[in-house]
Amino acid sequence: MAERRICLSKEAKDGLEFLKRKKLQKMRSDSVNETVGFSTMARSGGDALRPTSASCGMRLRVTSSDTVSKVHGASTVRGGLMKEKVEKLETDDLKWTERLPECPVYRPTKEEFEDPLTYLQKIFPEASKYGICKIVSPLTATVPAGAVLMKEKSNFKFTTRVQPLRLAEWDSDDKVTFFMSGRTYTFRDYEKMANKVFARRYCSGGSLPDSFLEKEFWKEIACGKTETVEYACDVDGSAFSSAPGDPLGSSKWNLNKVSRLPKSTLRLLETSIPGVTEPMLYIGMLFSMFAWHVEDHYLYSINYQHCGASKTWYGIPGSAALKFEKVVKECVYNDDILSTNGEDGAFDVLLGKTTIFPPKTLLDHNVPVYKAVQKPGEFVVTFPRAYHAGFSHGFNCGEAVNFAMGDWFPFGAIASCRYAHLNRVPLLPHEELICKEAMLLNSSSKSENLDLTPTELSGQRSIKTAFVHLIRFLHLARWSLMKSGLCTGLVSNTYGTIVCSLCKRDCYLAFINCECYSHPVCLRHDVKKLDLPCGTTHTLYLRDNIEDMEAAAMKFEKEDGVSDLITTDEDLYKYPSSITLPAAKEDGYTPYSTIYFDFYTEVEMTSHDQLQSGNPVMSYEANASCISSVADDYECSDYVSFTTNL
């Protein structure tokens, strides 16, 4: 491993040197009266310290005090632990790896394999209960991934990230080595390096049993001798062949096609999003890992293993997501790593995709965990809100992309609300996708719905219910705005989706803007409390077809299955607004009533050129560099516009 460390980037070497200095500082500390052994968990690519105790756990320093104090997030009293924040990982007993149940495995026929989303809707009722599932492809690629990346894609190279393989302390210093850059490789050069590392460690050029490597991985994470691995994650590109004679590349299971299929809501996005609508490659080596995470906006993901060694996955059902986050918050993180209190605290840190810890922690707290061992030629699908993590058994090449179907909308609404709680800019125009899908359903004929499966009907009800919630709230918000008398003009909203300058929620149907057009605000905020530097002029931007949408919402409310759902989850669509329907009804409000604003002249529609001369309306295309499926926040200007199409 010495050769590889010498070749690491200066950033990586500086980061590792920092870890060594920090370790020495801890070892030299003499202000300790007592030590209690316990193990902390690791972040993938994080500033992780090699354990210092013989039992492979970190040493928790506890002073002999009669008062209760917090040490590394653990409550202590009289020198002992009252509550242990992180349970010890016993590396000499990894029998828990044998207790993990397998996720479902499906082997579709060529006929069943015709359309990915149709097949996934078929297996959804069963597979979604596990969070992940595996699908064995009946088609084989005739052009290997290596040939695609070395021949079809000229000059294909990628830069790795360096991942420290060790347990981490959960404090602010952990961020130092999260994303250390490694070296730049061709596909073949990386394969040679990865195979050399494997052969040096195990004196073998072939594969080893999956169960053996799983135990080896967790031993290495806890107290192994390997300092780092290199992982090429989030690499733009695809290894599916474009050759017309390649059966898998020509099929709809080619991940370049999945997000744009007719049943995927992401087909409505006009601009591609790398890693979301366009696939990315993941080229790994022995013990390279992907940390516990959930997909952006709780989307589906589909992952294909092109070649190489197996990959172990761990998945959590979406129904257990909150329980998972609670366990992570209480048993993995220390308080100083959490940016916010409440149930969103762990969610916020998990969005960084840097948290790795053994599933045993979840098993011990009754969180369901399922395992999949993915081999070449197999797909792994993760369902909405399903947390997952895993690692590679050796050199391999995988590929992944996102998609969404009708049943995703309730999950997307939860994600949008949580992003607003954390003031995070959304990646997708969720509100616009709801409206576009709902209006397409409204215009479809009844005959088109005769052959729908129960899963497809449920997906349509999810779209309609989400749409009704949204239209109901925005009607109430417009009525409240009218009653306030603070709206000075009404113009036609011809933009796609903009992002609220206050809460970062995406707005499609309506928003308020100020006199200088620099502070777009969604209708979830109280206009009376707006303190804008340019004055008190508030113009309402509203869709011309709002009445058609309200008519569609009224029609959907009367349908079986929708009327039963419209009273649930309403808060997801109004946050952070304090407007409530009961209070409004006492003041004379009636749902879907006609709203008349009390001013005599309509403000002239400001041209796009005029807006560009002030604080610009940034188009989704112009702002593409700020929109990433990997980044967790955005350094963009105040006004971002998304665009979708039909």
Side-chain angles (χ1 to χ4, degrees):
M1 298 304 288
E3 291 178 354
R4 199 156 51 83
R5 289 201 298 273
I6 292 173
C7 296
L8 293 179
S9 66
K10 184 178 184 300
E11 177 190 8
K13 287 188 283 188
D14 289 346
L16 294 174
E17 185 61 30
F18 170 85
L19 298 180
K20 293 176 182 178
R21 289 198 306 269
K22 187 174 177 183
K23 175 184 174 183
L24 288 173
Q25 290 172 359
K26 289 182 175 292
M27 293 174 65
R28 292 169 180 168
S29 175
D30 56 3
S31 59
V32 181
N33 293 330
E34 184 177 354
T35 61
V36 179
F38 86 122
S39 173
T40 56
M41 302 305 175
R43 283 179 162 184
S44 172
D47 173 17
L49 293 179
R50 186 176 299 284
T52 57
S53 72
S55 63
C56 302
M58 296 296 296
R59 305 297 292 180
L60 173 62
R61 299 186 294 276
V62 184
T63 58
S64 55
S65 169
D66 290 337
T67 60
V68 177
S69 61
K70 295 287 275 185
V71 180
H72 288 296
S75 298
T76 61
V77 59
R78 298 184 183 277
L81 283 175
M82 186 169 69
K83 178 184 178 184
E84 203 168 271
K85 292 295 288 186
V86 182
E87 296 184 356
K88 185 175 179 180
L89 171 59
E90 296 286 355
T91 56
D92 57 347
D93 181 11
L94 289 169
K95 291 184 178 180
W96 61 265
T97 60
E98 301 167 10
R99 304 202 319 262
L100 292 174
E102 299 281 340
C103 74
V105 179
Y106 298 94
R107 302 177 184 275
T109 64
K110 289 185 178 180
E111 291 73 22
E112 292 176 316
F113 201 69
E114 183 67 26
D115 183 270
L117 304 192
T118 299
Y119 184 72
L120 287 172
Q121 285 181 327
K122 177 181 177 181
I123 65 174
F124 176 86
E126 177 188 46
S128 60
K129 297 175 183 177
Y130 297 83
I132 62 172
C133 73
K134 191 167 73 171
I135 299 172
V136 181
S137 172
L139 301 179
T140 303
T142 56
V143 182
V148 173
L149 297 177
M150 295 296 292
K151 296 180 180 180
E152 290 188 18
K153 302 181 185 299
S154 60
N155 301 318
F156 174 76
K157 293 183 179 181
F158 53 86
T159 300
T160 60
R161 292 179 182 174
V162 179
Q163 294 182 326
L165 285 181
R166 58 190 65 136
L167 295 172
E169 274 196 25
W170 290 102
D171 56 35
S172 58
D173 289 335
D174 288 337
K175 297 178 181 179
V176 172
T177 56
F178 273 3
F179 301 109
M180 299 184 297
S181 59
R183 295 183 293 175
T184 299
Y185 293 89
T186 66
F187 184 76
R188 191 64 67 210
D189 287 342
Y190 181 88
E191 180 182 12
K192 290 178 182 178
M193 180 277 295
N195 288 338
K196 185 178 180 180
V197 170
F198 188 95
R200 182 184 299 151
R201 176 170 180 131
Y202 293 114
C203 300
S204 171
S207 60
L208 295 173
D210 298 328
S211 59
F212 169 77
L213 287 174
E214 183 178 20
K215 291 182 175 68
E216 286 283 287
F217 172 76
W218 291 112
K219 288 179 182 178
E220 193 65 60
I221 285 293
C223 59
K225 296 180 180 179
T226 301
E227 291 192 357
T228 63
V229 296
E230 292 184 72
Y231 183 34
C233 54
D234 302 322
V235 176
D236 289 330
S238 171
F240 284 94
S241 176
S242 58
D246 188 290
L248 187 60
S250 301
S251 75
K252 293 179 181 178
W253 290 78
N254 181 330
L255 298 194
N256 289 289
K257 305 175 183 179
V258 170
S259 69
R260 302 293 185 180
L261 291 175
K263 292 183 180 180
S264 173
T265 290
L266 302 188
R267 75 192 185 283
L268 299 176
L269 292 171
E270 184 176 290
T271 305
S272 64
I273 306 173
V276 177
T277 61
E278 304 297 326
M280 280 184 164
L281 292 167
Y282 298 84
I283 306 170
M285 61 181 291
L286 179 68
F287 300 154
S288 61
M289 55 189 158
F290 50 103
W292 287 107
H293 69 285
V294 68
E295 298 300 308
D296 295 305
H297 286 267
Y298 294 157
L299 291 165
Y300 282 86
S301 76
I302 182 168
N303 307 261
Y304 181 70
Q305 187 85 331
H306 284 285
C307 62
S310 301
K311 187 181 293 183
T312 289
W313 291 70
Y314 303 109
I316 311 297
S319 59
L322 284 178
K323 192 173 183 180
F324 170 88
E325 292 170 10
K326 185 175 185 291
V327 170
V328 172
K329 180 181 177 182
E330 295 180 353
C331 301
V332 177
Y333 294 153
N334 292 325
D335 291 341
D336 60 349
I337 202 69
L338 299 175
S339 60
T340 182
N341 295 321
E343 66 178 21
D344 289 324
F347 172 71
D348 188 30
V349 182
L350 285 163
L351 287 175
K353 302 179 182 179
T354 56
T355 303
I356 190 76
F357 61 90
K360 180 180 185 299
T361 305
L362 302 171
L363 293 175
D364 291 346
H365 292 84
N366 299 314
V367 177
V369 188
Y370 299 95
K371 179 166 62 177
V373 178
Q374 183 187 24
K375 294 177 172 59
E378 298 177 346
F379 292 87
V380 167
V381 175
T382 70
F383 291 85
R385 211 180 185 181
Y387 279 95
H388 49 282
F391 65 93
S392 293
H393 297 191
F395 167 76
N396 56 29
C397 177
E399 186 171 333
V401 77
N402 292 114
F403 64 94
M405 295 186 287
D407 56 79
W408 163 77
F409 277 97
F411 297 98
I414 295 171
S416 291
C417 188
R418 299 190 84 178
Y419 289 166
H421 271 282
L422 299 169
N423 208 235
R424 285 180 175 267
V425 177
L427 186 68
L428 296 176
H430 184 257
E431 185 175 305
E432 183 172 358
L433 293 176
I434 291 175
C435 294
K436 293 290 180 65
E437 286 284 33
M439 294 309 286
L440 286 172
L441 288 176
N442 185 57
S443 61
S444 63
S445 62
K446 290 184 178 180
S447 60
E448 296 177 7
N449 300 326
L450 294 178
D451 298 326
L452 294 179
T453 65
T455 302
E456 290 172 321
L457 286 172
S458 176
Q460 288 194 1
R461 284 195 294 268
S462 294
I463 296 170
K464 293 175 180 178
T465 303
F467 180 67
V468 169
H469 282 315
L470 178 63
I471 295 297
R472 272 175 162 255
F473 168 72
L474 286 175
H475 184 273
L476 175 59
R478 281 165 44 227
W479 180 87
S480 298
L481 182 62
M482 178 268 293
K483 290 287 288 183
S484 72
L486 296 176
C487 183
T488 57
L490 176 65
V491 297
S492 175
N493 178 17
T494 59
Y495 297 104
T497 290
I498 65 96
V499 174
C500 175
S501 59
L502 297 182
C503 67
K504 304 299 188 292
R505 288 202 73 145
D506 53 299
C507 312
Y508 172 68
L509 289 176
F511 65 94
I512 300 166
N513 216 336
C514 60
E515 188 172 5
C516 66
Y517 310 108
S518 299
H519 307 94
V521 176
C522 72
L523 271 58
R524 296 171 176 85
H525 300 280
D526 188 348
V527 179
K528 297 177 183 177
K529 297 180 181 179
L530 293 182
D531 184 19
L532 304 178
C534 57
T536 58
T537 299
H538 303 115
T539 303
L540 173 64
Y541 287 69
L542 186 66
R543 291 278 154 200
D544 287 338
N545 63 339
I546 188 66
E547 291 183 357
D548 295 335
M549 292 191 183
E550 290 178 350
M554 291 176 67
K555 185 181 79 171
F556 291 155
E557 284 196 32
K558 299 175 183 177
E559 294 182 8
D560 293 339
V562 177
S563 58
D564 299 332
L565 298 174
I566 59 175
T567 58
T568 62
D569 296 332
E570 286 184 305
D571 288 346
L572 296 175
Y573 298 87
K574 74 176 189 178
Y575 179 84
S577 174
S578 58
I579 302 172
T580 61
L581 183 61
K585 284 184 175 180
E586 291 181 5
D587 205 16
Y589 172 73
T590 304
Y592 300 117
S593 59
T594 303
I595 299 174
Y596 294 102
F597 283 88
D598 187 17
F599 41 76
Y600 296 102
T601 59
E602 182 174 316
V603 175
E604 292 292 330
M605 179 61 193
T606 305
S607 70
H608 189 269
D609 290 339
Q610 286 175 297
L611 285 169
Q612 290 284 2
S613 65
N615 194 25
V617 177
M618 294 181 63
S619 69
Y620 183 79
E621 294 88 339
N623 197 42
S625 63
C626 293
I627 308 297
S628 167
S629 63
V630 178
D632 298 291
D633 213 338
Y634 305 82
E635 298 298 327
C636 304
S637 48
D638 300 303
Y639 199 165
V640 182
S641 173
F642 296 89
T643 305
T644 64
N645 71 352
L646 292 176

